[in-house]
Amino acid sequence: MSQTVGRTRLAYSRTWHHISLSSASTPPLGRLASRIAIILMGKHKPIWDPSTDCGDYVVATSCTDLLVTGKKMQQKKYYTHSTRPGSLKEISMEGMMRKWGGGEVLRKAVRGMLPKNRLRDKRLDRLKVFEGAAHPYKDNLVKVDGRTRIVDVPEVRAEMEKARAL
């Protein structure tokens, strides 16, 4: 008999979530980033623990349609510094969207919302961003825009077809 209570490998299984930024109901950048951060951390699960990495995968598509409010597109600045004197560089959000796309803007916003610890980079690796609607993770997706699509899982579909045939 197993001595493990509650912390089984099955409890830590990861789900793939899909968020399309081209839909009309997409929230602004900050609200979207905080929701993605909660999913990446696993705070939506009943087994959440701050010291373990139990979060899910998130696939964000159509990042070119990123919504920001006010004049943030022109006024928000991103800074980089190489610790050498005189090497401080700044770029506006508009310039970053042109140079690296909306995916990098979304990634930086989510990175700022994740806790600053050893798990941050591992959690951020589970965020997959794409500029268009096409992505290679279509077979992995279970939740699309927050709704479960369990019927689209190949194993479940095969079992349902078997049951219909009987």
Side-chain angles (χ1 to χ4, degrees), residues 62-113:
S62 303
C63 289
T64 54
D65 302 330
L66 199 61
L67 174 69
V68 291
T69 57
K71 297 181 181 179
K72 291 184 190 78
M73 197 63 81
Q74 294 82 26
Q75 292 179 350
K76 176 146 180 62
K77 304 286 185 195
Y78 293 96
Y79 297 96
T80 57
H81 199 286
S82 70
T83 69
R84 303 282 298 176
S87 69
L88 179 66
K89 294 179 183 173
E90 73 176 34
I91 186 170
S92 67
M93 183 184 286
E94 194 173 39
M96 184 170 275
M97 291 278 283
R98 269 195 315 270
K99 192 170 183 179
W100 288 297
E104 188 62 25
V105 172
L106 180 63
R107 188 181 302 278
K108 283 186 177 286
V110 171
R111 181 179 172 86
M113 304 246 176

Side-chain angles (χ1 to χ4, degrees), residues 1 7 19 21 24-25 31 36 42 47 60 64 84 86 94 101 104 115 118 130 136 139 149 152 162:
M1 186 169 153
R7 300 278 190 239
I19 296 173
L21 302 180
S25 63
R31 293 177 189 268
I36 290 173
I47 60 161
T64 54
R84 303 282 298 176
E94 194 173 39
E104 188 62 25
R118 285 183 272 177
F130 298 96
D139 294 338
R149 296 178 54 198
D152 293 340
K162 281 183 193 177

Side-chain angles (χ1 to χ4, degrees), residues 36-163:
I36 290 173
I38 287 172
I39 293 171
L40 291 175
M41 286 186 285
K43 285 184 107 174
H44 63 290
K45 294 182 175 184
I47 60 161
W48 181 75
D49 182 43
S51 63
T52 58
D53 193 13
C54 61
D56 293 340
Y57 288 90
V58 176
V59 177
T61 56
S62 303
C63 289
T64 54
D65 302 330
L66 199 61
L67 174 69
V68 291
T69 57
K71 297 181 181 179
K72 291 184 190 78
M73 197 63 81
Q74 294 82 26
Q75 292 179 350
K76 176 146 180 62
K77 304 286 185 195
Y78 293 96
Y79 297 96
T80 57
H81 199 286
S82 70
T83 69
R84 303 282 298 176
S87 69
L88 179 66
K89 294 179 183 173
E90 73 176 34
I91 186 170
S92 67
M93 183 184 286
E94 194 173 39
M96 184 170 275
M97 291 278 283
R98 269 195 315 270
K99 192 170 183 179
W100 288 297
E104 188 62 25
V105 172
L106 180 63
R107 188 181 302 278
K108 283 186 177 286
V110 171
R111 181 179 172 86
M113 304 246 176
L114 288 172
K116 283 66 174 175
N117 58 21
R118 285 183 272 177
L119 297 174
R120 178 161 71 167
D121 290 333
K122 291 179 186 176
R123 288 171 173 162
L124 203 59
D125 286 342
R126 288 197 305 272
L127 174 62
K128 314 294 183 188
V129 291
F130 298 96
E131 298 302 313
H135 62 87
Y137 301 108
K138 286 184 173 62
D139 294 338
N140 299 350
L141 295 178
V142 174
K143 292 195 175 191
V144 177
D145 291 327
R147 294 185 310 273
T148 303
R149 296 178 54 198
I150 195 71
V151 203
D152 293 340
V153 177
E155 294 85 16
V156 174
R157 182 175 290 170
E159 290 296 324
M160 287 179 67
E161 288 174 4
K162 281 183 193 177

